[in-house]
């Protein structure tokens, strides 16, 4: 059985009528979780009212549940005339000992938030409890008004009050059903899911305001942003923006689509290495055993820092409905082009180590200085061990790919084959091709083609893109300068999984 999560505002009168806010929107609870308004779409009364999430202590029922701008508002009734514990809880609420509300639910869709916690987008609401200390500081009992169920002097139920209550409950259910029908209709329309996905979150709205106004943003927007560890005091881009930048980078840096990509919060990552295999030998019963010269070491991979800034006119920031889209496009192109070049040819030091610059990667001689030979490509492919060969891909630029497309084998078959199925790559000698614009051109002594298992090339990304808005230094020209920094690194972890083609006669 899935674990039921609990989150926890509340008032009660002498007859047990209780109202409150079970979950305020636009703010996180003590564990960093935020529940979106749409997550409560299926929260339909009646719902059990429990004492501190104890399923053996049902003390009442919630018969009104409403999703409002303020939060998830409730109205229910403690069964004070029927349940002893309900009378005790009512006394504690009136005395101030239990003033919190807490929801018990199962999260069905959630995303991680920067700085900890989750953004819960969908859930199944199981119950709502009265508690002493709620998970959300804003979840509390709010008022204690008139009796929900009046009784006549002889102790019999007031039928008129009961009929009124039933009518109110039926009306509330009808309103909620109409709202759910509208949500369902929207979801069934073409592009319905996309429309909901594209709705900007509170964090994204706050980030857009930060781009426009810098440090002059409101306190509410400031709370929605995550303060980064940037010594200059910048802010991390919200989750939606950061993930979109990563997707855009694949266009400029296709190695990300085949390399092994990891995320780290550490300043560096150390990988153990093994230099050889053990040297086992056959021997007789009394022969001396021989040791192995196998060597173990380590390789440290450190994220490198890349930074830039873009200038945007204040008029554009004021007029554009989503100015952060312009920022994303500029940063994606600049960061993407720079890292693509470094992942291929980077020499290390302040930049990542490119796989073409690794000194231990072996090569196959082409047999001609300026004309690629089909036999050389076949030799290169089968020079790798079968395990690596069967997971490898070809890396070359568009100019070289144009030359390879004209090549045939001895039976007149083209070495290059197009993709006949959507989502499948084109191939050379049956293996996928990844076009990398920064690979060398065909010329004497160059290495224009590399084949390998690119899972042995490790890319590490440290945190997200950080931005710092400067509306002051360029203010006289009507410009806001937005600085951006990203830390990413790359290196070959196992050179034996790669092999290059050298353009030489011998």
């Amino acid at each position: 059985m899935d674990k039921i999560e609990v989150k926890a505002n509340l008032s009660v009168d002498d007859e047990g009528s209780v109202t409150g806010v079970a979950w305020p929107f636009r703010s996180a609870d003590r564990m960093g979780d935020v529940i979106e308004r749409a997550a409560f779409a299926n929260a339909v009364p009646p719902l059990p009212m429990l004492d501190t999430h104890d399923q053996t202590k049902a003390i009442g029922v919630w018969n009104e549940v409403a999703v409002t701008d303020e939060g998830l508002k409730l109205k229910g009734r403690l069964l004070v005339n029927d349940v002893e514990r309900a009378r005790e809880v009512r006394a504690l609420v009136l005395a101030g000992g239990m003033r919190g509300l807490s929801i018990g639910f199962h999260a069905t869709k959630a995303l991680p938030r920067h700085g900890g916690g989750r953004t819960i987008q969908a859930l199944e609401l199981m119950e709502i409890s009265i508690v002493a200390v709620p998970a959300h500081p804003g979840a509390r009992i709010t008022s204690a008004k008139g009796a929900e169920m009046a009784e006549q002097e002889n102790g019999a139920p007031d039928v008129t009050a009961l009929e009124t209550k039933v009518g109110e409950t039926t009306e509330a259910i009808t309103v909620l059903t109409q709202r759910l029908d509208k949500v369902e209709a929207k979801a069934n329309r073409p592009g319905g899911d996309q429309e909901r996905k594209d709705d900007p979150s509170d964090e994204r709205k706050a980030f857009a305001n930060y781009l426009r106004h810098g440090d002059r943003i409101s306190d509410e927007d400031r709370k929605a942003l995550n303060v980064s560890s940037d010594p200059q005091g910048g802010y991390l881009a919200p989750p939606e923006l950061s993930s979109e930048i990563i997707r855009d980078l694949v266009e400029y840096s296709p190695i990300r689509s085949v390399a092994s990509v990891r995320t780290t919060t550490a300043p560096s990552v150390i990988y153990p290495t093994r230099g050889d295999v053990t040297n086992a030998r056959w021997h007789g019963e009394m022969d001396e055993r021989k040791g192995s010269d196998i060597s173990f070491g380590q390789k440290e991979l450190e994220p490198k820092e890349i930074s830039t800034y873009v200038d945007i006119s204040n008029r554009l920031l004021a007029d554009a409905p989503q100015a952060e889209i312009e920022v994303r496009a500029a940063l994606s192109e600049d960061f993407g082009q720079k890292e693509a070049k470094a992942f291929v040819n980077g020499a290390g030091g302040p930049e990542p180590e490119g796989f073409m610059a690794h000194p231990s990667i072996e090569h196959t001689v082409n047999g001609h200085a300026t004309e690629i030979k089909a036999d050389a490509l076949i030799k290169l492919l089968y020079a790798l061990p079968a395990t690596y060969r069967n997971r490898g891909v070809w890396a070359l630029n568009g100019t070289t790919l144009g030359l390879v497309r004209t090549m045939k084998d001895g039976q007149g078959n083209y070495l290059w084959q197009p993709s006949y199925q959507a989502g499948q790559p084109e191939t050379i000698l049956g293996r996928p091709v990844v076009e990398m614009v920064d690979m060398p051109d065909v010329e004497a002594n160059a290495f224009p083609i590399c084949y390998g298992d690119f899972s042995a090339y490790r890319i590490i990304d440290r945190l997200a893109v950080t931005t710092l808005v400067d509306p002051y230094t360029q203010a006289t020209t009507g410009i806001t300068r937005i600085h951006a920094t990203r830390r990413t690194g790359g290196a070959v972890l196992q050179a034996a999984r790669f092999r290059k083609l050298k353009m030489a006669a011998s």
Side-chain angles (χ1 to χ4, degrees):
M1 179 178 179
D2 292 331
K3 179 182 178 182
I4 298 178
E5 301 187 46
V6 295
K7 300 286 185 189
N9 227 328
L10 181 67
S11 76
V12 67
D13 64 7
D14 290 339
E15 300 299 328
S17 176
V18 56
T19 60
V21 178
W23 186 270
F25 298 135
R26 301 186 183 91
S27 62
D29 66 5
R30 292 181 173 89
M31 291 176 284
D33 287 350
V34 171
I35 301 180
E36 294 185 346
R37 179 172 178 163
F40 293 104
N42 296 320
V44 180
L47 289 169
M49 181 189 301
L50 302 184
D51 174 18
T52 319
H53 302 292
D54 189 340
Q55 297 187 26
T56 66
K57 295 181 180 179
I59 56 176
V61 62
W62 301 103
N63 43 35
E64 291 187 27
V65 178
V67 180
T68 69
D69 292 338
E70 182 181 354
L72 184 68
K73 300 189 72 171
L74 308 170
K75 192 170 185 179
R77 179 171 174 260
L78 282 161
L79 301 178
V80 295
N81 295 322
D82 303 299
V83 180
E84 181 178 357
R85 181 55 184 169
R87 292 192 291 273
E88 295 174 353
V89 170
R90 179 195 60 187
L92 289 169
V93 171
L94 293 175
M98 295 181 69
R99 299 287 292 183
L101 287 177
S102 181
I103 61 175
F105 65 94
H106 168 59
T108 57
K109 185 177 180 181
L111 298 174
R113 300 180 70 239
H114 288 292
R118 302 163 298 170
T119 297
I120 299 172
Q121 299 176 325
L123 58 79
E124 181 181 359
L125 186 59
M126 306 293 191
E127 51 86 9
I128 305 172
S129 291
I130 297 179
V131 297
V133 181
H136 197 300
R140 68 187 185 280
I141 296 175
T142 55
S143 65
K145 297 184 180 179
E148 292 292 329
M149 296 292 291
E151 293 193 1
Q152 299 174 345
E153 293 181 357
N154 58 6
D158 186 338
V159 176
T160 303
L162 180 59
E163 290 177 346
T164 302
K165 183 58 184 176
V166 171
E168 293 175 352
T169 303
T170 302
E171 182 180 357
I173 293 175
T174 300
V175 172
L176 185 58
T177 302
Q178 292 173 348
R179 293 177 59 190
L180 290 174
D181 289 342
K182 292 180 180 179
V183 172
E184 184 178 0
K186 182 178 179 180
N188 291 332
R189 290 200 303 265
D193 290 339
Q194 183 66 33
E195 290 176 9
R196 290 196 303 276
K197 183 175 69 175
D198 291 340
D199 288 343
S201 66
D202 293 334
E203 289 184 343
R204 187 162 183 168
K205 293 176 182 177
F207 186 67
N209 290 335
Y210 175 63
L211 294 182
R212 293 184 177 93
H213 308 298
D215 289 337
R216 295 169 293 172
I217 58 176
S218 66
D219 291 339
E220 183 178 354
D221 287 341
R222 197 180 304 277
K223 291 178 181 178
L225 293 170
N226 295 309
V227 180
S228 74
S229 58
D230 187 344
Q232 299 180 20
Y235 290 98
L236 290 179
E240 298 97 328
L241 180 58
S242 296
S243 62
E244 287 166 359
I245 290 177
I246 293 295
R247 288 197 298 272
D248 288 346
L249 289 176
V250 176
E251 296 181 8
Y252 303 102
S253 182
I255 187 175
R256 284 182 173 268
S257 65
V258 291
S260 176
V261 182
R262 300 288 188 272
T263 301
T264 180
T265 58
S268 65
V269 181
I270 296 177
Y271 296 97
T273 62
R274 188 185 71 187
D276 206 342
V277 296
T278 59
N279 188 24
R281 296 180 178 87
W282 299 103
H283 56 78
E285 180 180 2
M286 304 299 294
D287 292 345
E288 181 180 357
R289 274 63 170 171
K290 300 291 185 181
S292 297
D293 295 330
I294 185 172
S295 60
F296 290 91
Q298 63 184 30
K299 182 179 183 64
E300 184 174 9
L301 184 51
E302 177 185 359
K304 309 297 182 178
E305 185 173 304
I306 181 172
S307 60
T308 186
Y309 63 83
V310 292
D311 291 339
I312 298 183
S313 72
N314 294 333
R315 178 177 297 179
L316 175 61
L317 287 174
D319 295 342
Q322 291 187 351
E324 74 272 17
I325 296 178
E326 301 298 330
V327 177
R328 182 191 70 218
L331 298 180
S332 297
E333 181 175 355
D334 198 9
F335 286 168
Q337 290 176 345
K338 298 301 192 310
E339 76 164 29
K341 184 176 181 180
F343 290 155
V344 176
N345 298 307
E351 61 182 357
E353 174 192 84
F355 64 90
M356 292 298 292
H358 197 285
S360 299
I361 294 180
E362 298 183 358
H363 65 267
T364 295
V365 177
N366 178 61
H368 194 282
T370 57
E371 182 181 339
I372 299 176
K373 298 295 184 181
D375 291 346
L377 293 181
I378 297 173
K379 290 179 182 179
L380 185 155
L381 176 65
Y382 286 92
L384 285 178
T387 301
Y388 303 153
R389 180 172 69 243
N390 294 332
R391 295 202 298 254
V393 298
W394 298 95
L396 63 168
N397 65 27
T399 303
T400 306
L401 181 58
L403 297 174
V404 174
R405 286 190 61 169
T406 65
M407 298 172 60
K408 300 179 181 180
D409 59 18
Q411 286 73 42
N413 300 315
Y414 283 102
L415 301 183
W416 174 89
Q417 291 294 323
S419 172
Y420 294 105
Q421 183 176 352
Q424 297 299 317
E426 56 191 49
T427 62
I428 297 175
L429 296 173
R431 297 305 305 162
V433 178
V434 177
E435 184 179 342
M436 300 186 186
V437 297
D438 297 292
M439 288 290 290
D441 290 328
V442 175
E443 58 184 11
N445 295 315
F447 297 89
I449 298 176
C450 180
Y451 181 82
D453 175 8
F454 278 83
S455 65
Y457 187 83
R458 180 62 51 83
I459 297 174
I460 58 172
D461 295 322
R462 191 188 191 286
L463 298 180
V465 177
T466 60
T467 57
L468 180 66
V469 177
D470 175 14
Y472 306 111
T473 58
Q474 308 294 317
T476 56
T477 57
I479 294 293
T480 292
R481 176 162 291 179
I482 303 172
H483 298 264
T485 301
R486 176 175 173 78
R487 292 181 64 186
T488 186
V492 173
L493 297 184
Q494 195 171 3
R497 300 193 186 194
F498 300 87
R499 196 170 186 90
K500 300 181 290 188
L501 180 71
K502 182 178 182 179
M503 298 302 297
S506 59

